[in-house]
Amino acid sequence: MTLSHSTEKPFAKDLSYLLSTEARSRNESPLKSAFKYYSQPDLVFLGGGLPLATYFPFNKVVAETALPPFQNGIGYVPTTKAETNVVKIEKRLDPNSDVKDIPLARSLQYGFTEGQPELVAFLKEHTQLVTNIPYQDWTLMANTGSTQAWDNVLRNFCNKGDSVLVEEFTFSSALEAANAQSLHTIPVKMDGFGIIPEELAKLLDSWNPDTPKPKLIYIIPTGQNPTGSSLSYERRKEIYKIIQKHDLILIEDEPYYFLQMDVYTRDLQKREQQRNMTVSHEEFINSLIPTFLSLDVDGRVIRFDSASKTLAPGSRLGWFIGQKRLLERFIRIQEVSAQAPCGFTSSIINGTLQRWGQKGFLDWLIGIRKVYSHNRNVTIDALNDYMPLEVVDFIPPIAGMFFTFNIDATKHPKFASEFNSEPLKVENAIYERALKQGCLMIPGSWFVSKGNTSPPQRYILDNDVQNPKIFFRGTYAAVPMDELVKGIKRFAEAIKLEFEL
Amino acid sequence: MTLSHSTEKPFAKDLSYLLSTEARSRNESPLKSAFKYYSQPDLVFLGGGLPLATYFPFNKVVAETALPPFQNGIGYVPTTKAETNVVKIEKRLDPNSDVKDIPLARSLQYGFTEGQPELVAFLKEHTQLVTNIPYQDWTLMANTGSTQAWDNVLRNFCNKGDSVLVEEFTFSSALEAANAQSLHTIPVKMDGFGIIPEELAKLLDSWNPDTPKPKLIYIIPTGQNPTGSSLSYERRKEIYKIIQKHDLILIEDEPYYFLQMDVYTRDLQKREQQRNMTVSHEEFINSLIPTFLSLDVDGRVIRFDSASKTLAPGSRLGWFIGQKRLLERFIRIQEVSAQAPCGFTSSIINGTLQRWGQKGFLDWLIGIRKVYSHNRNVTIDALNDYMPLEVVDFIPPIAGMFFTFNIDATKHPKFASEFNSEPLKVENAIYERALKQGCLMIPGSWFVSKGNTSPPQRYILDNDVQNPKIFFRGTYAAVPMDELVKGIKRFAEAIKLEFEL
């Protein structure tokens, strides 16, 4: 693991002309200018309303985790002290400790809008280990999670009435955030492997010149929500070229990036091999699909990373990675809204990561891969075993928490009659029937980006528009495996009942 | 301490016509509708991307505080186990414990946009102890701090180009947040005791009918930032009547509400009495200036409460109090932005408060009063002792973290000559001179709400517009008292040098 030398690289392009009116109008607080004197020796600083840490009631916080390399698996709960990683954060820094902790007197105080320096430094180093950003003036800024980050991105790049490009099926909260800001979400066609570069090119090349071109595209490249698809490196390169040509900002929302798995196989022997294989850190990193950031010669990608899926959602900690000039505007919006990530999160997560070290964090991520590979295998086995394959098809996901399966709605016996040839009616009938059978999965149409066509024309992830299929999204992340198999069995039963199979 | 019975009270008025276009356009996520099935018995719920808590690395979190009634003061750090309040939060709830803890498996998971139920219940009970809300359908919702809360209020009530009323001098981040949303901040005149009701009435009664009337007013009623002033109960009643007449929403931002102090006295014997007096919870509550909420028969007040000044700023935990119909829109915006307060904060602060109990929390607040009363006394003594009172005057604050003092700029020997009769030039000269002397306080003009007049006409907190004074804001919260006195001495020296006294 060697860090790349960034000093010889070129600088990012100045893309600040793509910022919104709101982003441009934000000023640095004059009070912040006074804060530069805060630590000047022998200056009595009476400038800020910072309550004295002496009166924070919290004298100490201790968090317990397992120790790397997590050889008993990431779900193992240590039973002895020797097995336990104890993260003890005092109010004041222990002068005898060489761990880069964030003392409570600092983390629970105001300040560090961009994130506490020790944590930011750790995450930057982690970023350099897993991706090689082609320009030198990139930076990393902590935020309170990618959902908030997306709302801030919209405010920083879009004016009311603007358009943003999104995947045809996407995270519904992302759509709602955009639509509430009076933005148009324009869907880009997908197949089972994510958005289709040719469709993106066609959409932009044939853009009606009377309407303003979108300034950004929002993509969940790996383990996409809801489809579970992952963009190949080839597609990423093609997509990057297209957004360069059309001068777009690309938001890569990557909460599932480190949930990349072994490839699915029905060969149980091979599977056992995969499971028992010791993967080096180098091999793990090399096995990850390269990020859009690694292609970003211009500085037009903003990456969302997050602790939500790798550590815990309630940590409410995410981070932006992108060019400094653009991220500076995110500091400005964060200092007058969220202010900073929570201090307990900063101290505890930083304390954990500092003790694990970069290698320990990679060990944790490798441990997650094992769990999710197993869960995905169980899922796909169950789909193969129980689903009526004459009407159901699916692609085994290679990343993330979600699986989807397509159902050929036209094969429903009442499709042309009672359902009036409307796939959505079949979808709803299956949803209701599965609920009665005792399993809930989310109908694909709930994730449709409506864009300017209403109702949407497609409910399926292939190019066969003549033959509309529907799909459902399930997750293998949220329940134990016996429960999962029971659920899939029940759902399969519901489909069979509906389709009279 | 008895709780008021709210069932006999009337309902709040429907004021939802005051909501912004953005607030109205927000829909409840269809996915959330599926979540109502989440805990249905024998349903396999594969609907949500909730990672299994088994794989959260945090098995246990422990926080240590002192024990109520904090008889050694709130800054005392316990040295023995018997003195220590240990908040131990496990991943799963201990079935043998009767403390209403929030287990990490829940707090670190997605969910509870409005705040974890145990914490919300505690804060509701606390609210009922200290204020009597005159209508029954009020509620309380957790947020990630009042700065974020204010940004959300603006989005929920204002459309681009709208006006909001603010105090003439106010929290600069609040102004920036509003201005960045293309809103006009219209200043309401203040004196040393907060905004002047007659001036508010005059402003609204004479509103130019061609321009849209403001829909809300933002007030920091107690220990105002920056002026340190507190609105009397009489003024609050008058202001409430005026905003009723003009159909405004009133935001009472009250981070300093529980930092109300004993009245300043130079009588050291009386002061010693105050300090040693045991105050009952009842007496403490009765000594607080009643809230705007307690006057709010219509349901047009939204109160911001916060843990930032009473526990710690980095907790990033605040809460809205107001009528249910309006707060529901804040759930909608929060679920597609911050999602929820941080899980570590929720578990730790709830765990602390549950163990302290309502009485213990009031003990803590009474402890804060003691500290701040003392600090304020030291401050005002120092101002009296060192400031050149021929050009400086001040009102001892009765709440909050800030003190201000006014300086008669016209008495500067170079006022009419070098400074061209411009008070701001005197202000800047004093700021620079004080920096050289080794003390930084913030010039009052940095907090001016410019509104539609630029530059602002007034820099001072009385009605004497003919005799423009300037002021500076200091804090007695952020440094030890010997430092504070040293700072005030230095600042006084700077003024004397400037004014050749």
Side-chain angles (χ1 to χ4, degrees), chain A residues 193-472:
Chain A
F193 303 94
I195 63 170
I196 306 161
E198 294 72 28
E199 295 286 344
L200 175 63
K202 206 164 67 181
L203 180 71
L204 286 165
D205 287 338
S206 64
W207 198 267
N208 177 353
D210 297 336
T211 52
K213 261 197 174 174
K215 284 198 286 191
L216 66 85
I217 181 166
Y218 172 77
I219 300 181
I220 307 168
T222 317
Q224 203 257 357
N225 182 4
T227 65
S229 62
S230 296
L231 284 169
S232 66
Y233 187 39
E234 287 312 308
R235 281 205 180 179
R236 292 180 197 216
K237 285 190 279 191
E238 288 175 63
I239 290 166
Y240 187 77
K241 268 187 217 145
I242 300 165
I243 64 137
Q244 267 190 311
K245 177 180 169 192
H246 292 278
D247 199 17
L248 264 62
I249 297 288
L250 189 156
I251 305 301
E252 66 165 339
D253 184 5
E254 281 288 35
Y256 316 107
Y257 184 74
F258 291 104
L259 277 52
Q260 294 185 45
M261 299 172 284
D262 300 319
V263 173
Y264 176 77
T265 171
R266 293 215 80 173
D267 181 338
L268 292 184
Q269 208 180 341
K270 201 169 165 197
R271 206 185 271 185
E272 200 52 29
Q273 273 173 4
Q274 281 178 347
R275 189 201 281 255
N276 296 325
M277 199 162 60
T278 311
V279 178
S280 75
H281 298 134
E282 204 94 33
E283 284 165 338
F284 173 71
I285 290 167
N286 290 335
S287 74
L288 301 170
I289 308 173
T291 62
F292 272 112
L293 264 189
S294 71
L295 302 168
D296 188 20
V297 291
D298 294 348
R300 58 176 70 250
V301 173
I302 294 178
R303 181 180 172 89
F304 294 175
D305 258 316
S306 168
S308 290
K309 307 304 191 293
T310 54
L311 298 174
S315 61
R316 299 287 81 225
L317 179 73
W319 50 99
F320 297 105
I321 306 168
Q323 62 154 293
K324 276 182 190 162
R325 201 184 277 107
L326 294 178
L327 290 204
E328 183 270 345
R329 291 287 94 187
F330 288 87
I331 298 179
R332 293 287 89 73
I333 189 168
Q334 191 155 292
E335 68 191 3
V336 296
S337 54
Q339 296 225 14
C342 165
F344 291 115
T345 270
S346 301
S347 277
I348 291 173
I349 290 188
N350 174 71
T352 302
L353 294 175
Q354 296 290 352
R355 281 164 186 77
W356 285 0
Q358 294 294 348
K359 290 181 179 178
F361 188 31
L362 292 174
D363 287 332
W364 180 259
L365 299 173
I366 290 168
I368 292 181
R369 155 176 297 202
K370 281 207 174 158
V371 169
Y372 279 88
S373 293
H374 173 67
N375 291 5
R376 187 271 329 267
N377 290 346
V378 171
T379 303
I380 303 301
D381 289 352
L383 290 177
N384 275 315
D385 290 347
Y386 302 115
M387 284 290 174
L389 299 180
E390 54 270 47
V391 297
V392 172
D393 65 273
F394 46 84
I395 297 170
I398 56 166
M401 303 172 27
F402 299 112
F403 64 97
T404 52
F405 48 90
N406 306 313
I407 305 167
D408 187 342
T410 62
K411 292 200 176 137
H412 194 287
K414 298 177 193 158
F415 182 67
S417 57
E418 198 179 309
F419 292 145
N420 200 24
S421 297
E422 292 174 45
L424 275 194
K425 289 190 174 162
V426 180
E427 187 191 66
N428 193 52
I430 296 172
Y431 175 69
E432 296 287 347
R433 175 82 76 163
L435 263 179
K436 271 184 215 139
Q437 292 295 118
C439 180
L440 187 147
M441 293 200 236
I442 308 286
S445 70
W446 293 18
F447 301 97
V448 148
S449 167
K450 292 203 181 67
N452 296 327
T453 50
S454 175
Q457 299 303 303
R458 289 155 40 90
Y459 306 95
I460 200 250
L461 297 174
D462 65 25
N463 292 315
D464 187 0
V465 278
Q466 304 306 323
N467 192 17
K469 294 184 189 175
I470 54 175
F471 75 94
F472 282 83

Side-chain angles (χ1 to χ4, degrees), chain B residues 35-53:
Chain B
F35 272 73
K36 66 175 182 247
Y37 296 109
Y38 183 53
S39 48
Q40 188 173 300
D42 198 39
L43 182 85
V44 181
F45 186 86
L46 304 178
L50 308 181
L52 217 53

Side-chain angles (χ1 to χ4, degrees), chain A residues 21-22 25-34 37 40 42-52 54-66 74-78 107-110 144 147-148 151 155 160 171-173 176-177 179-182 308-316 335-345 348-349 352 356 364 371-372 375 401-403 431 434-435 438-442 446-447 473-475 477-480 483-484 486-488 490, chain B residues 21-22 25-34 37 40 42-52 54-66 74-78 107-110 144 147-148 151 155 160 171-173 176-177 179-182 308-316 335-345 348-349 352 356 364 371-372 375 401-403 431 434-435 438-442 446-447 473-475 477-480 483-484 486-488 490:
Chain A
T21 311
E22 176 176 333
S25 74
R26 290 188 188 276
N27 301 310
E28 192 167 359
S29 162
L31 268 71
K32 310 273 168 189
S33 72
Y37 297 109
Q40 187 174 302
D42 197 39
L43 182 85
V44 182
F45 186 86
L46 304 179
L50 308 181
L52 217 54
T54 311
Y55 304 117
F56 299 167
F58 309 103
N59 300 311
K60 191 195 287 179
V61 168
V62 182
E64 290 183 9
T65 75
I74 59 166
Y76 178 74
V77 179
S107 68
L108 294 180
Q109 187 55 279
Y110 289 113
T144 54
T147 311
Q148 181 76 65
D151 192 65
R155 293 172 73 177
K160 199 175 159 172
F171 180 40
S172 29
S173 290
E176 280 165 40
N179 297 144
Q181 287 189 35
S182 298
S308 290
K309 307 304 191 293
T310 54
L311 298 174
S315 61
R316 299 287 81 225
E335 68 191 3
V336 296
S337 54
Q339 296 225 14
C342 165
F344 291 115
T345 270
I348 291 173
I349 290 188
T352 302
W356 285 0
W364 180 259
V371 169
Y372 279 88
N375 291 5
M401 303 172 27
F402 299 112
F403 64 97
Y431 175 69
L435 263 179
C439 180
L440 187 147
M441 293 200 236
I442 308 286
W446 293 18
F447 301 97
R473 184 196 79 173
T475 177
V479 296
E483 271 286 288
L484 178 87
K486 190 163 78 179
I488 289 175
R490 287 176 175 180
Chain B
T21 312
E22 175 176 334
S25 74
R26 289 187 189 277
N27 300 309
E28 193 167 356
S29 161
L31 268 71
K32 310 270 168 191
S33 73
Y37 296 109
Q40 188 173 300
D42 198 39
L43 182 85
V44 181
F45 186 86
L46 304 178
L50 308 181
L52 217 53
T54 311
Y55 304 116
F56 299 167
F58 309 103
N59 300 311
K60 190 196 288 180
V61 168
V62 183
E64 290 183 9
T65 74
I74 59 167
Y76 178 74
V77 179
S107 68
L108 294 181
Q109 187 53 279
Y110 288 113
T144 54
T147 311
Q148 182 76 65
D151 193 63
R155 293 172 73 176
K160 198 174 161 176
F171 180 40
S172 29
S173 291
E176 278 166 41
N179 297 144
Q181 288 189 35
S182 298
S308 290
K309 307 303 192 293
T310 54
L311 299 174
S315 61
R316 297 288 81 220
E335 69 192 4
V336 296
S337 53
Q339 296 226 14
C342 165
F344 291 115
T345 269
I348 291 173
I349 289 188
T352 301
W356 285 1
W364 180 259
V371 169
Y372 280 88
N375 291 6
M401 302 172 28
F402 299 113
F403 65 96
Y431 175 71
L435 263 179
C439 179
L440 186 148
M441 294 201 235
I442 309 285
W446 292 17
F447 301 98
R473 185 196 79 173
T475 177
V479 296
E483 272 286 288
L484 179 86
K486 191 163 78 180
I488 289 176
R490 288 175 175 180

